[in-house]
Amino acid sequence: MSTNTLDPLDLFDIQSELSDDEAMVKDTVARFVDDRVIPLMREAFEKHEFPRHLIGEVAELGLLGSSIDGYDCAGMNSVSYGLICQELERGDSGLRSFVSVQSSLVMYPIHAYGSDEQKDRWLPAMARGEAIGCFGLTEPHGGSDPGNMKTHAKRDGDDWILNGSKMWITNATIADAAVVWAKTDEGIKGFIVEKDMPGYAAQEIENKFSLRASVTGALFFDNVRVPKENLLPGVSSLKGPLSCLTQARYGITWGVIGAAQACLDEVLRYTQDRVLFGQPIANTQTIQIRMADMARRITTAQLLSLRLGRLKDAGKMRPTQVSLAKWNNCRAALDIARDARDILGGSGISAEYVPNRHMLNLESVITYEGTETIHQLVVGKELTGANAFG
Ligand code: TGC
Ligand code: FAD
């Protein structure tokens, strides 16, 4: 490649905006994904299996709870966390989901709202991948409105009695501990529910067409007695779980860039080799316009996420900005994956090519952590001051 040639997956040279440490994190995770993740994802997806044996390697690289300082965590900055998500999701959204949930939805609330004992007990074990967590917010009757949750906890002496259920929970059946959000007479509180507590059960949701290489399940609480030591003492309102979502959504804005890059990379190669009407289809105007549009959307997403990461590292990131980026970047990635599938023609439905797998995964990613509509309405509320959620 001549020095005048731009990197098609990084047209605005985001790479040169990274510090040496950030670039090293990106390159290290990229190598891991190329060598260890991509070769097995097709089969994992087809078999509907989360590649659990990768957890140790992910932990070894310092990718679990990477933003936390201390407790055996790597203490990296937010841009590095974003780059980790981007590279993992270039492999598959399922592995990125695992890391998002463990880091942003389980370790983050324990670190931000937990007691010293809870931090000492769970964070180092979770950083090493020896303890797995899940996050229970969504309920069967409607995840977009978590303030309407039915799961509740009542004081009983020093303990709490937990009843209810949660739905669509990543890592549900492999989790040693679930951070569960429940209504109480004192506001919405978070509880660390351990897998062996009587009355607690997790059940896998099978036959998904999306995120097949990720574990998704339901959680059930039937008079689960939770000791007061397992209550997160630092928060008593919806702000608790929503602040966790802000962390995870931030990572997702980066993650989906990786999925989109994998799709563009595939069609850039394919269209050079696919000769129709006497020329490679890469030479035709419409295919070039479609791929240029993919590059435009990827570039926009990269610039949004990098700016968001710099704001986050400066302590200035606002939830509305995260909503706009989650909406923009998920929509861009999903549209790119769908169009890449089409450019591959019939081959596009074969498991040998990545766009269809990414497209199916992205149907979940655009829905979880707040649907596209929810994020549009968050931005609408910021612009108008009027709350369309009622
Ligand atoms: P609202 O009255 O607006 O807010 C209640 C309190 O929370 C504060 N807040 C936030 N804080 C931090 N980050 C945010 N993003 C926040 N959004 C709101 C707010 O300031 C307020 O604080 P205070 O002090 O005044 O009490 O609440 P609302 O009930 O009207 O809801 C607003 C809405 C619709 C935006 C919210 O409910 C929402 O985000 N709904 C979508 C739910 C969602 O995204 N669920 C995701 C579940 S987890 C998941 O999907 C994991 S997938 C993982 C994977 O595999 O990667
Ligand atoms: P609903 O809330 O019922 O929404 C249905 C439709 O109504 C959507 O199109 C929505 O955009 C629309 N809608 C909602 N409100 C409005 C409005 N005011 N105006 C107009 N339209 C509206 N949750 C967790 O707690 N933890 C997890 O680990 C987790 N992992 C997940 C993994 C996967 C694979 C999936 C698919 C989901 C996961 N979720 C998790 C749940 C996810 O967050 C929810 O699916 C999501 O928040 C949407 O909730 P819902 O599915 O109940 O849809």
Side-chain angles (χ1 to χ4, degrees):
M1 194 184 278
S2 94
T3 48
N4 290 328
T5 309
L6 299 172
D7 176 351
L9 304 182
D10 184 13
L11 284 184
F12 271 49
D13 198 12
I14 296 293
Q15 185 74 21
S16 68
E17 294 293 318
L18 304 180
S19 69
D20 290 348
D21 284 352
E22 291 161 354
M24 192 181 71
V25 170
K26 175 175 179 280
D27 294 345
T28 304
V29 183
R31 257 195 318 278
F32 166 69
V33 168
D34 287 337
D35 296 347
R36 302 283 300 135
V37 178
I38 289 174
L40 58 78
M41 268 308 162
R42 171 185 161 181
E43 197 180 328
F45 190 90
E46 286 186 62
K47 286 189 170 165
H48 210 313
E49 265 175 22
F50 172 60
R52 211 174 157 170
H53 63 280
L54 290 179
I55 294 175
E57 294 175 56
V58 165
E60 191 72 24
L61 289 169
L63 309 188
L64 301 178
S66 61
S67 308
I68 295 174
D69 243 333
Y71 302 99
D72 293 349
C73 298
M76 297 181 210
N77 71 1
S78 303
V79 170
S80 298
Y81 174 52
L83 292 162
I84 290 168
C85 291
Q86 175 186 291
E87 291 310 312
L88 291 176
E89 196 148 356
R90 197 168 53 75
D92 192 87
S93 304
L95 186 59
R96 196 272 307 140
S97 278
F98 170 80
V99 170
S100 290
V101 170
Q102 180 90 344
S103 302
S104 290
L105 297 182
V106 179
M107 296 174 75
Y108 171 81
I110 293 174
H111 188 247
Y113 306 122
S115 65
D116 288 344
E117 293 72 27
Q118 289 166 351
K119 292 180 205 179
D120 289 338
R121 176 172 173 201
W122 291 107
L123 294 179
M126 287 182 166
R128 289 195 296 270
E130 291 162 8
I132 305 304
C134 69
F135 175 88
L137 180 64
T138 302
E139 300 191 355
H141 57 274
S144 298
D145 184 12
N148 186 34
M149 67 177 70
K150 311 293 181 212
T151 298
H152 60 273
K154 282 200 164 60
R155 278 190 191 272
D156 185 44
D158 269 355
D159 301 335
W160 291 82
I161 306 296
L162 183 66
N163 278 288
S165 64
K166 300 287 177 180
M167 185 67 178
W168 299 114
I169 306 303
T170 300
N171 296 348
T173 54
I174 59 168
D176 301 287
V179 170
V180 177
W181 299 94
K183 263 194 179 143
T184 75
D185 291 341
E186 301 152 44
I188 290 174
K189 290 182 178 287
F191 296 87
I192 303 176
V193 179
E194 299 178 43
K195 70 173 176 196
D196 296 330
M197 288 180 171
Y200 172 52
Q203 189 181 354
E204 183 152 3
I205 297 169
E206 287 167 352
N207 308 321
K208 291 176 300 180
F209 284 130
S210 175
L211 281 182
R212 290 173 61 84
S214 169
V215 173
T216 317
L219 308 178
F220 303 95
F221 316 100
D222 180 9
N223 286 314
V224 181
R225 182 170 287 278
V226 185
K228 71 172 187 317
E229 292 73 26
N230 285 38
L231 169 78
L232 296 178
V235 72
S236 291
S237 77
L238 195 55
K239 205 180 176 90
L242 294 183
S243 67
C244 303
L245 299 186
T246 295
Q247 312 304 312
R249 290 166 176 171
Y250 162 76
I252 288 171
T253 73
W254 284 90
V256 295
I257 295 169
Q261 286 173 319
C263 295
L264 176 56
D265 195 37
E266 185 94 274
V267 290
L268 283 171
R269 269 181 281 114
Y270 185 86
T271 55
Q272 293 288 347
D273 295 339
R274 192 71 174 173
V275 175
L276 295 170
F277 303 102
Q279 62 173 344
I281 56 173
N283 295 1
T284 68
Q285 291 186 358
T286 48
I287 293 286
Q288 285 192 15
I289 290 169
R290 288 163 76 181
M291 296 195 300
D293 196 55
M294 292 180 191
R296 173 184 65 80
R297 286 164 178 254
I298 287 171
T299 303
T300 310
Q302 286 170 316
L303 292 169
L304 275 185
S305 285
L306 182 66
R307 171 69 182 150
L308 204 54
R310 296 288 179 232
L311 286 171
K312 191 170 192 300
D313 279 325
K316 293 181 182 166
M317 185 182 84
R318 302 281 300 274
T320 304
Q321 296 164 333
V322 180
S323 279
L324 191 142
K326 202 263 179 186
W327 157 26
N328 181 79
N329 293 12
C330 287
R331 169 54 57 193
L334 181 56
D335 288 349
I336 287 169
R338 285 176 180 164
D339 204 33
R341 205 294 307 151
D342 182 76
I343 288 176
L344 295 171
S347 301
I349 69 152
S350 162
E352 274 183 42
Y353 297 88
V354 299
N356 208 30
R357 173 164 55 82
H358 283 297
M359 181 187 85
L360 292 168
N361 285 338
L362 289 163
E363 291 288 351
S364 283
V365 181
I366 203 170
T367 294
Y368 67 33
E369 295 283 357
T371 64
E372 185 171 63
T373 305
I374 291 297
H375 292 294
Q376 289 167 332
L377 295 178
V378 167
V379 176
K381 181 179 169 188
E382 184 80 35
L383 298 182
T384 62
N387 185 359
F389 299 115

